[in-house]
Amino acid sequence: ATPTSIMAGSGRAAEFGILFKGGEHLEATHKIDTILLDKTGTVTNGTPELTDVRIAQGYKENELLQLVASAERLSEHPLAQALVAGIKNKGIEIQDPLSFEAIPGYGVKATVQERELLVGTRKLMNQYKVNIDTALEEMTNLEQEGKTAMLVALDGKYAGMLAVADTIKATSKEAVSRLKEMGLEVMMITGDNRQTAQAIAMQAGIEHVIAEVLPEGKAEEVKKLQQQGKKVAMVGDGINDAPALALADIGMAIGTGTDVAMEAADITLMRGDLMSIADAIEMSRKTISNIK
Ligand code: ADP
Ligand code: MG
């Protein structure tokens, strides 16, 4: 590869908002055969909104919502921000929790007004031995609509469920179909549950889904694909995605995402939509074929 053509290629890519960290990445990109897309903030807009509230028998909606918002207000997770904003919108006043603990990949644990709160996944409830039998059917229904449902336990008992919905980016579906036409295998990875992940993937035209991956597990999944001989481009925006972005053959960070993701990646996609992935690979292929 001649340095001149690599430089010209990088320059042209930059005009499209595709920033290669070095010329070697422009070269490596043309060998990619598998695209692994993070769900939240990559395939989707990443700004979920509160859509559903279910209250278990014997609990009061306003009281429970106030406790949940107070428990979540110190969390930086987009799901927590969606819950807090949605509850505030209902005119409910929020307090500071007495204690707060984020449990990455599971949810939060907090003490509010001397009451013990858990908000999060089935696994979180199982860990704390909360009986959620009466909630499961409704939870699955919400998830099959592509929503993320979070269970709430109050003093060790199931008390209600809140769901948020995130929407796929306007160009995600078209971009996925273009990537497939280019002969690339497209997959999605997420910490979210299988039903929600599959509903979102279907909207975007993605068949392969890796769901319920714990925050530290995304890099592990990249490694597994590489061990199958695949050349993997990981695309993500979050702190959670950084180890996978670093390990992948090519890491692509969404420019609207976290600095941590951009630092770990080889390419930053400033436009933030998935069409840029196809553009980057096309430009790399062209640059390399001009050299050969
Ligand atoms: P993602 O890959 O979508 O960013 P995470 O790995 O951060 O997901 O979280 C996985 C799941 O854990 C979420 O879908 C949610 O059910 C639960 N969870 C995480 N953080 C919170 C929180 N602050 N409040 C409630 N639930 C949470
Ligand atoms: Mg994300």
Side-chain angles (χ1 to χ4, degrees):
T2 71
T4 322
S5 49
I6 294 280
M7 242 165 70
S10 294
R12 203 154 34 86
E15 285 169 30
F16 285 82
I18 298 164
L19 310 181
F20 286 86
K21 265 197 195 152
E24 72 273 25
H25 302 309
L26 183 63
E27 230 180 329
T29 299
H30 91 282
K31 296 194 185 119
I32 292 303
D33 54 30
T34 304
I35 312 286
L36 189 56
L37 303 167
D38 158 62
K39 176 174 78 69
T40 310
T42 300
V43 174
T44 70
N45 289 303
T47 47
E49 285 186 28
L50 179 64
T51 53
D52 300 81
V53 178
R54 300 279 187 276
I55 304 297
Q57 236 179 17
Y59 294 89
K60 292 197 192 88
E61 173 158 340
N62 280 10
E63 201 182 319
L64 193 76
L65 290 178
Q66 185 187 46
L67 292 171
V68 169
S70 305
E72 292 279 11
R73 76 178 307 176
L74 299 180
S75 166
E76 282 160 14
H77 201 286
L79 291 172
Q81 289 169 2
L83 294 180
V84 172
I87 292 169
K88 263 192 189 158
N89 253 344
K90 293 179 190 283
I92 291 169
E93 234 175 81
I94 301 171
Q95 309 184 330
D96 273 327
L98 295 174
S99 79
F100 165 81
E101 185 191 343
I103 310 166
Y106 293 88
V108 300
K109 182 174 184 282
T111 314
V112 185
Q113 301 170 2
E114 334 239 297
R115 312 201 63 177
E116 284 295 322
L117 256 105
L118 293 167
V119 188
T121 61
R122 295 174 179 81
K123 282 184 199 156
L124 180 70
M125 298 299 151
N126 292 338
Q127 253 180 24
Y128 286 89
K129 311 247 181 309
V130 178
N131 185 337
I132 50 168
D133 290 350
T134 57
L136 291 178
E137 192 183 331
E138 184 64 34
M139 188 174 194
T140 302
N141 288 342
L142 292 165
E143 289 170 346
Q144 279 168 351
E145 294 170 27
K147 292 169 181 168
T148 299
M150 287 157 278
L151 299 159
V152 184
L154 201 52
D155 298 323
K157 295 230 158 44
Y158 170 70
M161 176 173 12
L162 288 85
V164 304
D166 193 359
T167 44
I168 69 166
K169 291 176 183 170
T171 52
S172 287
K173 188 175 180 174
E174 195 186 344
V176 167
S177 116
R178 189 172 149 207
L179 290 165
K180 286 183 184 168
E181 272 166 30
M182 290 167 69
L184 298 154
E185 189 173 357
V186 182
M187 311 174 85
M188 193 183 82
I189 187 162
T190 181
D192 212 341
N193 73 88
R194 182 159 312 281
Q195 278 95 285
T196 308
Q198 244 143 15
I200 295 286
M202 197 151 78
Q203 289 172 29
I206 301 167
E207 284 101 27
H208 306 275
V209 179
I210 309 172
E212 297 175 28
V213 181
L214 289 177
E216 64 278 9
K218 287 186 180 176
E220 195 58 38
E221 296 296 331
V222 168
K223 196 195 282 175
K224 277 192 213 158
L225 292 169
Q226 288 171 329
Q227 281 165 348
Q228 294 165 24
K230 298 186 196 295
K231 292 276 179 234
V232 182
M234 166 77 200
V235 191
D237 68 321
I239 299 168
N240 281 356
D241 301 321
L245 289 168
L247 185 69
D249 296 278
I250 285 290
M252 299 189 188
I254 299 287
T256 50
T258 60
D259 293 346
V260 181
M262 281 180 266
E263 275 158 31
D266 307 303
I267 305 175
T268 296
L269 308 173
M270 293 309 295
R271 280 193 328 211
D273 77 296
L274 307 186
M275 282 294 190
S276 301
I277 304 167
D279 291 339
I281 293 171
E282 239 162 42
M283 283 179 198
S284 166
R285 286 178 179 178
K286 271 189 198 139
T287 304
I288 300 304
S289 67
N290 284 344
I291 292 166
K292 278 180 183 159

